[in-house]
Amino acid sequence: MSEATQQRVRNAADALNYVPSEAGRSLSTRSTRRIGVLVSDLANPFYPYLVGPLHDELEQRGYRMMLLTERSDDALATERLLDHSIDGAVLTTATTGSALPDALRRKQVPFVFLNRIDGRDGADSAVVDNERGGRIVAAELAELGHRTVALLGGSTDTSSGRDREHGFVSGLADAGITLPAARIRRGPYDFDTGYRGLTELLDADPDLTAVFCGNDVVAIGAYNAALREGLRIPDDLTLIGFDDLPMASWEAFSLTTIRYDLPEMARAAARLLVERLTGETDRSARQVAFTPELVRRGTHAPPTLRRAWRV
């Protein structure tokens, strides 16, 4: 097509206020250029920090992000992720018993796990080394001299909850410290899990000196429960979180926590999926695992003897 003809087409498009139709393009390209991203609850501060860099990386590579925010990923399987309205999916809320990954495999819809995996082979993933993170916390508490410790962990049907707990329990055992079942509480990664869980733990054992929390949101819930009970952090109780969300560094909390490169983990997931969609790789499932480290702030200290504070 000559330059003159091209210019006449552009002029006509401008006069008609023409906007290219992605739906029309998809009929010929058989590609929607849309990626479905499944999260469980945007009220949880963790997900906005994950979704932002994910969106930016996908947009840079020419894809639009469609955010799906229902609480049950299985309920979405037949409605959105399998109706050919997307090219691929990013799963951030997978559980070990989820049926959705297998449904996507059967429909040959490419997907990538971000943050959690389902524990089966055959899919790309971008995750943090959760077990190592749990071991780091255990080693820190043992070195500080804590022996009466507890865990406010995530659900064991999530790979993150399972692996963080396993690493923590194993790390304590290496230091000669036993973590009895009575000092473990599990639940969703939310404020209430930390708030209610710490209250229950303190009811059962007022001499508790340290708690490892499954993530920063749980830790902040536990922090608030401790303040309600008149405990001083860290003088009376050490709290350590996981994820290093921006709020963890707020002066109101100054939370000691496990850090990893959360934005880069999200971007890595986007790259893995796009490479799979564009045929840039024909390799079997790839995993990008990020290394955790301890960020020492103001919620950890050696244990101190204190008088019973409950009546």
Side-chain angles (χ1 to χ4, degrees):
M1 186 182 297
S2 69
E3 179 60 34
T5 301
Q6 291 182 41
Q7 189 57 52
R8 285 198 299 273
V9 171
R10 293 191 189 100
N11 292 340
D14 289 342
L16 295 169
N17 294 318
Y18 171 76
V19 177
S21 168
E22 290 295 337
R25 286 178 173 176
S26 67
L27 293 175
S28 62
T29 63
R30 296 190 178 184
S31 172
T32 66
R33 307 295 292 183
R34 287 197 297 264
I35 302 297
V37 178
L38 184 64
V39 301
S40 61
D41 183 7
L42 280 179
N44 187 325
F46 175 81
Y47 289 108
Y49 293 119
L50 197 70
V51 167
L54 181 61
H55 167 273
D56 294 345
E57 186 71 24
L58 289 172
E59 184 176 56
Q60 182 179 338
R61 293 171 179 270
Y63 287 83
R64 295 181 179 182
M65 187 179 78
M66 184 169 69
L67 193 61
L68 308 174
T69 59
E70 300 201 9
R71 291 185 178 273
S72 170
D73 54 356
D74 292 334
L76 281 168
T78 57
E79 296 179 18
R80 297 287 182 84
L81 297 180
L82 301 177
D83 65 359
H84 304 293
S85 63
I86 61 170
D87 290 344
V90 180
L91 307 183
T92 71
T93 58
T95 63
T96 55
S98 174
L100 179 55
D102 283 340
L104 292 170
R105 291 181 180 101
R106 288 194 299 271
K107 289 291 187 178
Q108 297 183 326
V109 177
F111 67 93
V112 60
F113 289 116
L114 172 57
N115 180 47
R116 301 179 190 170
I117 58 176
D118 68 351
R120 286 164 279 184
D121 296 330
D124 298 327
S125 61
V127 295
V128 62
D129 187 340
N130 289 296
E131 183 169 342
R132 183 172 180 176
R135 284 184 172 275
I136 290 172
V137 175
E140 179 72 9
L141 295 181
E143 185 174 347
L144 287 170
H146 291 280
R147 293 297 180 269
T148 310
V149 303
L151 170 67
L152 289 172
S155 174
T156 55
D157 70 350
T158 64
S159 61
S160 55
R162 177 198 64 202
D163 294 345
R164 290 172 193 181
E165 179 175 330
H166 183 265
F168 184 59
V169 172
S170 299
L172 290 176
D174 291 344
I177 302 170
T178 300
L179 181 62
R183 289 203 216 116
I184 298 176
R185 296 293 185 277
R186 305 180 184 94
Y189 288 115
D190 59 24
F191 181 95
D192 287 343
T193 292
Y195 194 88
R196 290 197 307 266
L198 184 65
T199 301
E200 293 176 4
L201 289 170
L202 291 173
D203 281 337
D205 192 345
D207 294 324
L208 196 65
T209 65
V211 181
F212 172 38
C213 302
N215 74 354
D216 292 345
V217 180
V218 172
I220 289 170
Y223 197 118
N224 277 263
L227 293 179
R228 183 199 64 185
E229 300 293 349
L231 293 179
R232 299 165 299 167
I233 305 296
D235 295 344
D236 296 325
L237 185 68
T238 283
L239 292 175
I240 299 181
F242 203 110
D243 289 333
D244 195 28
L245 298 180
M247 65 173 59
S249 65
W250 294 356
E251 293 178 359
F253 305 120
S254 189
L255 182 66
T256 299
T257 187
I258 292 292
R259 171 193 292 164
Y260 55 98
D261 196 335
L262 179 60
E264 181 56 28
M265 187 175 79
R267 290 189 288 265
R271 290 193 294 268
L272 288 171
L273 182 57
V274 171
E275 288 169 3
R276 186 68 66 186
L277 290 169
T278 58
E280 295 177 50
T281 181
D282 58 0
R283 295 168 50 196
S284 57
R286 302 160 295 166
Q287 183 180 83
V288 180
F290 286 78
T291 301
E293 62 178 345
L294 183 68
V295 180
R296 294 177 176 86
R297 293 196 181 101
T299 60
H300 71 288
T304 57
L305 294 176
R306 65 176 187 269
R307 292 178 299 172
W309 44 272
R310 287 181 178 270
V311 177

